[in-house]
Amino acid sequence: MKYSILVGLAALVIPALSFSSTVDTELLENYAKHAQYLDVKISPKGDYLAATSRITDGSVQLTVIDIDDSKILSVTQGQGNESVGSFQWANNERLVMTMVREVGSLDQPVPTGELFAMDADGSKQVILTGPRSESGEYVFAQVVDYLPEQPDAIMIYQRSFTSAEPYLDLYTMKITSGRKRSEGRIPLKAYRSTNVQVVLDDQGVSRMVLGIDPEDGNKTVILGRDGANQDWYEVTSYYEEEGGFVPLLMLPGTDQVVGLSDSESDTRALSVLDISSKEETILAEHPATDLMPIMSVKNGRANEVIGAAFEQQGIDTFFFSDVKDKDYSNLVQSLIATFPGQSVSINSSTRDNRILTVRVESVNSPTKFYMFDRDKGKLASIAAAKPWLEGHPIPKTKTIVYKSRDGLDIYGLLTLPNGSDAKDLPLILLPHGGPHGIRDTMSRMDSDAKVFAEHGYAVFQPNFRGSGGYGRQFLELGYKNWGTTMINDMTDGVQHLIKEGIADQDRVCVYGASYGGYAAVQSGVREPDLYQCIVGFVGVYDLNLMYEQGDIQQARAGRNYLDQVLPSAEEGREAQSPVYNVDKLKAPVFIIQGGADVRVPEAHAFALRDALKERDHPYEWMYKEAEGHGFYKPENNVERWQKMLAFFDKYIGE
């Protein structure tokens, strides 16, 4: 596998803006660059490190290093527009990886569905699945489990490329030859825009699956079985609004599956579901935010729930006192204490847990990888994802909380310019995309927010109703209210910052992408006197058009989603669509769009532009024919930021 259209201004737009002399282009380039190092993992015996890294042409390669002598053993690249995607050590000498391919209509490379394997030194390369494999099958394959009990095999599922609603077939596959043994068919279909989860026990037997009910596209069903070659039976099923269980892993030697559950609570709690008895036991829950389990690892498998991670005012964790593997619990707690305020995860480890690779990141710190040798008590830096930002004074982001006008607690992120006294600052409201199930978090850096703060603007990112992570009730409050109460939550946050004296009420703009682009223009419709300028990036501007164009409505799951979250009547959707309400706008609008966007087709941007043009409303226009739902090429993001900063400077700058 080692393989040696336009950017213009319409007649009625604002006169062309000159870039502000304060815009730091080199800094923009540093924020726009894709991460150099994506993943780092140690082999099961601790002999080798494997890492994916980005090279000059933007593709991703896999490098394997002998740890003892720091010698590069192999470098693996894709062919043409292919890059290495994910990878994992299947045993101490052999790696399994996926490939991804850049597709212009999407915002990032997508998996090809092929699996590859090779030895650490790059030898014995085999294409395991797909049309280029020895079998030549036109299938999409995915690894289900790396089977630490069988170091020469992995568990995969595969599905047909040609069937619209294929069933999934399970196989145990040899990683040296690609030969496979059938483990049966999962009686669930791989519907477009949905996923099927498969959970194995500690013996490598598939015991539980979750997916969409083939008889009811709105229902999630969980199936279980008592052992290999046994019949599948229903454990439970539920509709989303009822709350349910999402399986994650089986506890060794039991019929119990650890998962996340909101069947008995509003937020997602840590829960254990017994396959045989079908009884569920809540281990822990938080009244205001979802939990994620922290697990100990033994012999290459998750072994015990030792605690939970969550985010409310910041990144936080708690640990159970009555765990069996206290040594591992103490290890994790020690690592977390070493990096306060950051998200810390064990990325890989030797089979005996003697040496680990650790991933550390936060909203204020780019991702960095470390290696921890427990015998030596030594923590060493391996690689920084964005080394060019090392030592740079990145503007700080913090969590704030305020009350909505109807009494909800709304959490959000506030990023301030370096050296600011947080008084009477120009403010940019930046609502996230999605919108449902997504939230802005303290665990990941947002380049938009940092770039704007670097140039003197305060940036506010509210987790308005409908956002994820705060419970089912909070999520559902946003349904059918994209352009009403969700917008109110954003407005209330801006007013809170004005009241606190942080934001200057006469210098506020709003910008967002995808749903955030919709929210930006809709905010200007609902609050015409509050915002001095508006930027919509790959935004939805016509809710009726969402039912006609784009990839969401092409899948049954997508149509179900639209029916659930948008107003039921056409008139209601028009009332909440910016394109039908541009006469209420006062602020100038900057529209940014990718011509190859299949999520939000360019028709939305053109419809908004035409409506503004018809009313002689001032607007700016930026169009990149080959970009998709969000700009992927760094140079296009640099240009986007340059023009946005010039736009902001014109209306709310000094």
Side-chain angles (χ1 to χ4, degrees):
M1 188 182 63
K2 188 174 182 181
Y3 310 114
S4 321
I5 82 191
L6 301 169
V7 181
L9 302 177
L12 298 173
V13 302
I14 306 163
L17 301 175
S18 59
F19 295 156
S20 167
S21 60
T22 61
V23 173
D24 187 336
T25 301
E26 182 179 356
L27 186 63
L28 299 187
E29 291 172 347
N30 285 339
Y31 277 105
K33 287 181 187 176
H34 297 301
Q36 181 176 352
Y37 289 95
L38 284 74
D39 205 358
V40 181
K41 292 175 181 174
I42 194 167
S43 61
K45 291 184 180 179
D47 297 324
Y48 315 115
L49 273 178
T52 41
S53 60
R54 200 176 304 275
I55 57 179
T56 306
D57 67 1
S59 63
V60 177
Q61 66 183 19
L62 178 70
T63 303
V64 182
I65 300 172
D66 185 298
I67 291 177
D68 286 341
D69 58 15
S70 300
K71 178 183 177 181
I72 295 177
L73 296 180
S74 63
V75 178
T76 303
Q77 295 177 234
Q79 190 177 43
N81 64 348
E82 288 183 346
S83 288
V84 178
S86 61
F87 72 93
Q88 184 59 273
W89 290 97
N91 58 44
N92 194 59
E93 296 294 332
R94 199 153 179 81
L95 288 145
V96 174
M97 68 199 81
T98 64
M99 301 299 285
V100 295
R101 184 177 294 126
E102 288 191 19
V103 181
S105 63
L106 299 176
D107 55 349
Q108 58 186 357
V110 295
T112 65
E114 295 173 308
L115 301 177
F116 297 75
M118 71 175 193
D119 282 357
D121 62 3
S123 64
K124 300 178 182 178
Q125 298 177 6
V126 178
I127 302 175
L128 299 173
T129 64
R132 291 185 291 182
S133 68
E134 185 176 337
S135 70
E137 293 179 289
Y138 200 60
V139 295
F140 184 99
Q142 182 170 316
V143 178
V144 172
D145 197 277
Y146 284 91
L147 300 178
E149 306 82 14
Q150 302 180 54
D152 63 342
I154 57 175
M155 178 80 74
I156 70 165
Y157 70 58
Q158 67 181 40
R159 59 176 172 82
S160 167
F161 263 125
T162 57
S163 174
E165 297 179 350
Y167 282 101
L168 299 177
D169 295 306
L170 277 174
Y171 296 93
T172 298
M173 172 174 283
K174 294 291 185 182
I175 57 174
T176 53
S177 64
R179 295 182 62 183
K180 57 183 185 288
R181 181 183 72 242
S182 175
E183 300 294 345
R185 170 164 285 185
I186 300 173
L188 294 174
K189 293 182 178 181
Y191 296 109
R192 184 174 178 177
S193 300
T194 67
N195 187 33
V196 176
Q197 291 178 251
V198 183
V199 178
L200 275 61
D201 63 20
D202 59 335
Q203 301 303 307
V205 177
S206 56
R207 298 288 304 283
M208 178 177 276
V209 294
L210 173 146
I212 300 299
D213 188 336
E215 305 301 323
D216 187 344
N218 294 310
K219 181 187 287 186
T220 298
V221 62
I222 296 177
L223 306 178
R225 63 177 179 173
D226 297 328
N229 302 315
Q230 300 295 307
D231 291 334
W232 292 97
Y233 54 85
E234 183 175 312
V235 177
T236 186
S237 62
Y238 56 89
Y239 295 99
E240 182 182 353
E241 61 270 17
E242 299 172 344
F245 180 85
V246 178
L248 298 176
L249 50 93
M250 284 199 76
L251 295 174
T254 72
D255 287 337
Q256 297 182 331
V257 179
V258 175
L260 301 174
S261 174
D262 57 0
S263 61
E264 299 181 21
S265 58
D266 181 55
T267 55
R268 284 193 164 179
L270 288 187
S271 176
V272 173
L273 180 63
D274 191 288
I275 293 179
S276 54
S277 69
K278 303 182 182 180
E279 293 183 357
E280 185 180 341
T281 303
I282 302 297
L283 298 179
E285 64 179 287
H286 191 291
T289 189
D290 293 349
L291 299 179
M292 284 296 294
I294 300 174
M295 303 290 298
S296 66
V297 177
K298 185 176 182 181
N299 297 324
R301 283 202 178 279
N303 183 60
E304 182 184 14
V305 183
I306 58 175
F310 62 96
E311 182 177 333
Q312 191 178 17
Q313 293 279 18
I315 298 169
D316 213 339
T317 57
F318 67 82
F319 290 84
F320 299 117
S321 59
D322 56 345
V323 297
K324 297 177 183 178
D325 197 344
K326 294 186 181 297
D327 183 54
Y328 197 94
S329 179
N330 291 336
L331 164 68
V332 175
Q333 292 181 64
S334 175
L335 288 170
I336 290 173
T338 303
F339 301 99
Q342 299 194 63
S343 174
V344 180
S345 57
I346 294 176
N347 205 45
S348 68
S349 65
T350 55
R351 193 56 52 86
D352 59 7
N353 290 331
R354 181 175 54 86
I355 304 175
L356 313 97
T357 62
V358 183
R359 183 186 185 105
V360 181
E361 58 194 331
S362 79
V363 72
N364 293 315
S365 304
T367 303
K368 199 166 183 178
F369 297 95
Y370 296 84
M371 186 163 64
F372 182 55
D373 188 320
R374 297 179 70 184
D375 291 343
K376 299 177 181 179
K378 181 180 179 181
L379 181 71
S381 175
I382 302 174
K386 295 189 173 185
W388 47 86
L389 288 177
E390 288 282 290
H392 177 74
I394 296 171
K396 297 302 181 185
T397 302
K398 65 179 181 179
T399 302
I400 66 169
V401 61
Y402 60 95
K403 288 285 186 183
S404 70
R405 64 191 67 183
D406 55 355
L408 290 177
D409 283 335
I410 307 293
Y411 291 85
L413 305 184
L414 179 64
T415 306
L416 298 176
N418 287 329
S420 163
D421 60 1
K423 296 293 184 183
D424 295 323
L425 294 170
L427 177 71
I428 298 171
L429 167 64
L430 174 50
H432 62 70
H436 302 296
I438 308 296
R439 72 167 168 181
D440 287 310
T441 171
M442 291 289 287
S443 65
R444 292 189 307 274
M445 182 177 293
D446 186 296
S447 295
D448 278 323
K450 299 301 185 183
V451 163
F452 302 148
E454 292 271 15
H455 291 83
Y457 296 99
V459 183
F460 171 51
Q461 298 169 269
N463 282 318
F464 43 84
R465 71 189 69 200
S467 301
Y470 300 101
R472 194 170 67 252
Q473 181 180 2
F474 189 84
L475 178 78
E476 294 174 358
L477 283 173
Y479 291 175
K480 304 188 185 300
N481 293 309
W482 281 25
T484 55
T485 52
M486 289 168 68
I487 302 297
N488 289 348
D489 290 346
M490 304 172 203
T491 304
D492 294 344
V494 171
Q495 295 292 0
H496 168 79
L497 294 174
I498 292 172
K499 183 178 179 181
E500 292 291 308
I502 296 172
D504 181 344
Q505 65 178 352
D506 296 322
R507 293 194 295 161
V508 183
C509 285
V510 54
Y511 151 71
S514 193
Y515 168 81
Y518 163 90
V521 183
Q522 184 69 2
S523 291
V525 168
R526 289 180 63 86
E527 304 291 340
D529 295 319
L530 181 58
Y531 300 103
Q532 280 67 57
C533 64
I534 299 163
V535 182
F537 181 26
V538 295
V540 176
Y541 307 119
D542 184 342
L543 299 186
N544 283 322
L545 189 59
M546 285 193 76
Y547 277 91
E548 302 170 11
Q549 296 187 25
D551 64 349
I552 296 176
Q553 49 79 32
Q554 293 175 6
R556 179 163 64 170
R559 294 191 295 274
N560 290 339
Y561 170 80
L562 295 176
D563 289 338
Q564 184 179 45
V565 303
L566 296 184
S568 302
E570 184 175 334
E571 296 79 9
R573 294 192 292 271
E574 283 191 9
Q576 293 190 43
S577 293
V579 74
Y580 297 108
N581 293 280
V582 293
D583 56 324
K584 299 174 183 176
L585 288 170
K586 292 184 178 179
V589 180
F590 186 4
I591 306 169
I592 307 174
Q593 181 65 36
D597 192 343
V598 296
R599 177 58 48 84
V600 179
E602 62 182 24
H604 285 270
F606 282 106
L608 179 61
R609 187 185 71 171
D610 291 347
L612 294 171
K613 185 176 180 180
E614 183 180 335
R615 291 162 177 81
D616 291 348
H617 190 94
Y619 71 90
E620 277 282 346
W621 177 257
M622 180 179 181
Y623 179 86
K624 292 294 183 181
E625 187 172 12
E627 288 282 13
H629 194 55
F631 288 180
Y632 184 71
K633 293 182 179 179
E635 60 269 27
N636 288 339
N637 280 314
V638 169
E639 182 182 345
R640 174 174 67 86
W641 284 330
Q642 287 174 328
K643 292 189 173 185
M644 290 173 66
L645 286 166
F647 190 71
F648 294 144
D649 286 351
K650 181 177 179 66
Y651 293 103
I652 61 171
E654 291 289 344

